[in-house]
Amino acid sequence: MARIAIIGLGYIGGSIGLGLRAAKLRDTEIVGFDDWRSARRAAGKQDAVDEIAGSPREAVDGAGLVILATPPASTSELLEEIAPALGRGAAVTDTAASKVKIEEWAGNHLPNGVSFIGGHPMAGDASAFGIDNASGDLFRGKRWFLSPSPNASDSAVKSVLGMVRELGASPHFLSSAEHDYVLAGVSHLPLVVSSALFTMLRGSEGWPDFGRAAGETFRSMTAYNSGDPSMTTEIAITNREQVQHWIDRFVLELNRVRNLLDEEEEEVFKEYSTAQINHAKFLGGDDLDPDTGAQPELPDATSQMAALLISPRLYERVRSMTKRSEEKEKEREARGRRWGRG
């Protein structure tokens, strides 16, 4: 009988177990372990696994696929602990939000003949944790990044791919370095910015007024502070250099926008209207091609496409701005003709 081991039976690990159990895999036993007794007990009650092991080594003994659903910083120690119990040909994957460090630890600790395929499911609620919030449908329709180590076997990669597809997720391959660079920008930086924005205003003398005035915009921007702070800390530390890179880029961008506010209203409006149009295209999945770096022109205010692409209010502003620009251009042409006659 095939054996799948899940180490870590929290929100993500519990959801993996529930999803695999729901898939009713033939001749496959799902064994789990968690350091927390309450998580082990809850996993048993929810039938998230077929069996609860007494230790990580016991769980992975004889397993062809091992899933580490644990905090990033504990992965090195865990890999070292389970390494002696892993059989040749086993595939080990994880669910952490950073990959370079973990791939490095896997290379240091896993024995020859055992493959490491880094994994990162893009699913879940940042404020949810614990197996009580787990769901077998958590990954359905979501991306699952995979970063196979250079020496990973084809059979091991296929094993992890099979798990991802059984859970209803869509696999996407990135090297560990590419993954950490991209995720630092779209996932880790928002965590840092959310915390910094809240900390800045919360630490000011006028906080009571800020707190009373805070509406949905501020609450949405700082919502990541509701998540597990230990997880955020470990993500930032294990992907430190890339997070720092994007913080530096963000500071430069904020300075650019700060200087832009000294420009004419039309330039400021163009900045934010272009951002809205690009964001609408992103939400519609229409800008994920090799030419995404190019800044689009504002749509012609007389076109039907403009009215469909942007909000009615923005459409009216674009039309007004376009009309003013056309009038200014006609004035310049008229002055040019007068000077030409003179």
Side-chain angles (χ1 to χ4, degrees), residues 4-5 7 60 63-70 75 78-80 82-95 99 102-103 105-107 109-111 113-119 146-149 151-153 155-157 159-161 163:
I4 297 175
I7 310 299
V60 307
L65 174 61
V66 175
I67 304 156
L68 308 180
T70 55
T75 306
L78 180 58
L79 286 166
E80 186 175 15
I82 66 174
L86 293 169
R88 189 172 185 84
V92 178
T93 188
D94 74 320
T95 62
K99 297 271 74 77
I102 293 176
E103 184 177 297
W105 294 332
H109 298 308
L110 295 182
V114 174
S115 298
F116 180 75
I117 298 93
L146 296 175
S147 305
S149 60
N151 61 350
S153 68
S155 61
V157 174
S159 178
V160 176
L161 268 175
M163 175 202 70

Side-chain angles (χ1 to χ4, degrees), residues 261-328:
L261 298 182
D262 292 327
E263 302 294 330
E264 296 291 333
E265 179 189 356
E266 287 187 12
E267 291 300 313
V268 178
F269 174 75
K270 183 178 179 181
E271 169 79 12
Y272 293 114
S273 57
T274 300
Q276 192 210 42
I277 291 167
N278 279 334
H279 189 255
K281 291 172 66 178
F282 158 69
L283 293 178
D286 297 330
D287 71 338
L288 304 181
D289 57 54
D291 297 325
T292 55
Q295 290 297 319
E297 293 293 329
L298 287 173
D300 182 347
T302 62
S303 71
Q304 291 291 328
M305 184 59 70
L308 293 173
L309 184 63
I310 59 181
S311 69
R313 184 177 179 182
L314 178 56
Y315 173 71
E316 290 300 322
R317 288 296 305 272
V318 170
R319 187 169 66 173
S320 174
M321 189 177 72
T322 302
K323 184 178 179 181
R324 289 203 306 270
S325 297
E326 290 173 349
E327 290 173 349
K328 288 180 180 178

Side-chain angles (χ1 to χ4, degrees), residues 3-7 29-33 49-53 58-59:
R3 184 180 178 102
I4 297 175
I6 304 173
I7 310 299
E29 178 187 37
I30 302 172
V31 180
F33 175 79
V49 293
D50 296 307
E51 178 187 336
I52 300 292
E58 182 184 324

